[in-house]
């Protein structure tokens, strides 16, 4: 079974993450959930249930030196929703949170990655955001920024993009 690291930042679509995990599992993925520290705080009451759903601990912080890695190796990474800050930090190599550190390192490891930003119009027009998206694309990350207004976060598109990057098996 292929392992999907599903990473999410602190944006409203994170509240749908249990359904997304179930959809990914239905596609054959073994899912490991990583959250930004604020997203973990938002979902604090659900973390045990999410860990039970995935069969893996939910992570939002780096392990202590010498602690074993508790997740299987990633076959692919989906970072959605990825906030303005997360996208820019990732592109600039500012790995001060667990999820951004893993995806920054994932570029060097050649792990197939998909990002689905969740930004408001003002952030999307900020010049650094466009540069960051282009930097990530240049590094091999599939970045999908919906151009049309959509009703709800396009989770099916995000999962479909991951399926296109790697055959699950």
């Amino acid at each position: 079974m292929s392992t999907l690291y599903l990473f999410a930042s602190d944006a409203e679509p994170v509240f749908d993450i249990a359904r997304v995990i179930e959809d990914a599992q239905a596609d054959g993925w073994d899912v490991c959930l990583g959250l930004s520290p604020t997203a973990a705080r938002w979902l604090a009451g659900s973390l045990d249930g999410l860990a039970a759903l995935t069969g893996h601990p939910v992570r939002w912080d780096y392990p202590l030196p010498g602690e074993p890695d508790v997740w299987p190796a990633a076959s692919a990474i989906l970072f959605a929703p990825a906030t303005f800050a997360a996208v820019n930090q990732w592109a600039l190599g500012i790995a001060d949170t667990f999820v951004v550190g893993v995806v920054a390192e994932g570029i060097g490891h050649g792990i197939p990655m998909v990002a689905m930003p969740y930004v408001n119009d003002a952030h999307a027009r900020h010049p650094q955001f466009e540069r960051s998206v282009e930097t990530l694309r240049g590094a091999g990350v599939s970045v999908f920024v919906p151009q049309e207004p959509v009703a709800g976060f396009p989770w099916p598109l995000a999962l479909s993009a991951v399926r296109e990057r790697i055959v699950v098996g």
Side-chain angles (χ1 to χ4, degrees):
M1 181 179 286
S2 297
T3 300
L4 175 66
Y5 285 8
L6 175 58
F7 287 171
S9 320
D10 42 306
E12 189 175 348
V14 77
F15 292 109
D16 296 327
I17 208 75
R19 181 181 50 79
V20 177
I21 292 167
E22 290 169 342
D23 290 347
Q25 290 170 330
D27 279 348
W29 292 102
D30 176 24
V31 180
C32 296
L33 178 61
L35 301 168
S36 70
T38 301
R41 186 171 48 88
W42 288 2
L43 298 176
S46 303
L47 294 177
D48 289 342
L50 291 167
L53 180 61
T54 64
H56 302 284
V58 178
R59 296 177 67 182
W60 60 89
D61 203 358
Y62 289 106
L64 294 173
E67 285 185 340
D69 192 349
V70 296
W71 283 358
S75 304
I77 300 173
L78 170 59
F79 197 163
T83 61
F84 174 77
V87 168
N88 290 324
Q89 289 171 321
W90 183 4
L92 294 170
I94 301 170
D96 63 343
T97 65
F98 171 72
V99 292
V100 174
V102 172
V103 293
E105 191 174 0
I107 289 172
H109 287 299
I111 298 170
M113 289 186 282
V114 173
M116 180 77 67
Y118 185 80
V119 297
N120 63 35
D121 290 340
H123 281 150
R125 287 191 298 271
H126 190 285
Q128 184 57 53
F129 182 71
E130 185 175 331
R131 285 191 294 268
S132 293
V133 167
E134 289 308 312
T135 295
L136 293 173
R137 286 178 176 155
V141 178
S142 295
V143 183
F144 294 90
V145 182
Q147 299 302 312
E148 299 292 325
V150 293
F153 191 70
W155 284 112
L157 176 62
L159 290 172
S160 175
V162 173
R163 279 192 301 275
E164 291 176 12
R165 290 294 310 260
I166 185 170
V167 176
V168 178

